[in-house]
Amino acid sequence: MLNKYAIVLIIILAFCSNTWAQEDKNSEDKEEVQTETLEELQVEANNIVSDPIDPLAPARAAFYSAVLPGLGQAYNKKYWKIPIVYAGLGIGMYFYLDNNKEYQRYRDAYKRRLAGFTDDEFYGTINDDGLREAQKTLSRNREISLLVTIAIYALNIIDANVDAHLLQYNVDDNLSLAPHYKINEFDNTGDLGITVNFKF
């Protein structure tokens, strides 16, 4: 009877020791695979060459655009935007100068009428009230033209700054955002989700 228990105990111990040996072997294999995977990841990380991030690039681009419009776009290598900047500034300045010239014409004619002269270019076609209204309208248009020109100048600076920020935006494959839609088989409803992946 004692022999039967001893034999069963020996078999159980042999089985357990065999299992422990397999677990040790499996853990060693896992450690080897993990170290190989870690080494592969390090090699891949070293092979990825990315441009260094320059935190002063946006400020530099904005400064260049403030000094000379379009220079910030040239700094960002967006040369196609330079003609757009100058066209916008040129149109704004053209309308400002044109409205100012017309305003001065009507103003000079009105001042001559107030002085008692009747030899201005508008005499007989436009009365004094018409000259005053024309001056108000042209003055308002001149101010709007100036504001539009200043706004285009400011947009030139903002565009250079934002563009320099976006040039340094990380679009690496290790960053991903993926929406997904899945049918839930348990209650037959749809599940909408979003997956954000960030790999080191």
Side-chain angles (χ1 to χ4, degrees):
M1 183 91 166
L2 186 61
N3 286 339
K4 288 183 185 176
Y5 289 123
I7 292 174
V8 170
L9 186 62
I10 291 172
I11 291 174
I12 291 174
L13 287 175
F15 180 74
C16 289
S17 66
N18 187 19
T19 306
W20 289 330
Q22 286 180 355
E23 285 180 5
D24 290 340
K25 185 177 180 183
N26 286 340
S27 65
E28 288 174 7
D29 290 342
K30 286 180 184 176
E31 286 177 8
E32 288 177 14
V33 169
Q34 286 176 351
T35 55
E36 288 175 7
T37 307
L38 183 61
E39 289 172 0
E40 289 173 3
L41 288 174
Q42 288 174 344
V43 168
E44 287 178 12
N46 291 335
N47 290 338
I48 295 174
V49 178
S50 62
D51 294 332
I53 294 176
D54 183 9
L56 295 177
R60 197 175 299 123
F63 175 74
Y64 290 159
S65 279
V67 171
L68 180 66
L71 193 58
Q73 283 74 14
Y75 175 76
N76 291 333
K77 295 180 177 50
K78 301 286 181 163
Y79 303 109
W80 63 272
K81 292 183 178 181
I82 297 172
I84 296 171
V85 170
Y86 280 103
L89 291 173
I91 290 169
M93 286 304 297
Y94 168 77
F95 281 110
Y96 173 78
L97 294 173
D98 185 52
N99 286 318
N100 188 46
K101 184 176 107 178
E102 292 297 315
Y103 171 77
Q104 294 299 332
R105 280 180 57 210
Y106 283 93
R107 183 169 179 258
D108 290 342
Y110 183 69
K111 284 167 64 176
R112 287 190 66 76
R113 287 211 190 153
L114 289 178
F117 295 104
T118 58
D119 60 348
D120 62 85
E121 61 180 303
F122 303 110
Y123 189 75
T125 56
I126 300 175
N127 61 11
D128 293 348
D129 291 335
L131 290 176
R132 279 195 297 271
E133 287 301 318
Q135 287 180 70
K136 287 180 186 175
T137 302
L138 290 168
S139 176
R140 187 183 69 240
N141 290 346
R142 179 181 63 178
E143 291 168 0
I144 290 172
S145 300
L146 182 62
L147 288 175
V148 167
T149 305
I150 292 171
I152 291 171
Y153 175 74
L155 283 174
N156 153 61
I157 297 170
I158 292 168
D159 174 68
N161 186 295
V162 170
D163 208 16
H165 272 294
L166 292 178
L167 285 175
Q168 298 185 48
Y169 187 71
N170 189 357
V171 289
D172 191 6
D173 290 337
N174 291 333
L175 297 172
S176 66
L177 181 73
H180 58 84
Y181 183 77
K182 180 179 161 185
I183 300 294
N184 189 344
E185 295 174 5
F186 182 69
D187 57 0
N188 203 20
T189 59
D191 293 336
L192 182 63
I194 193 162
T195 304
V196 179
N197 292 327
F198 181 71
K199 299 177 186 173
F200 291 96

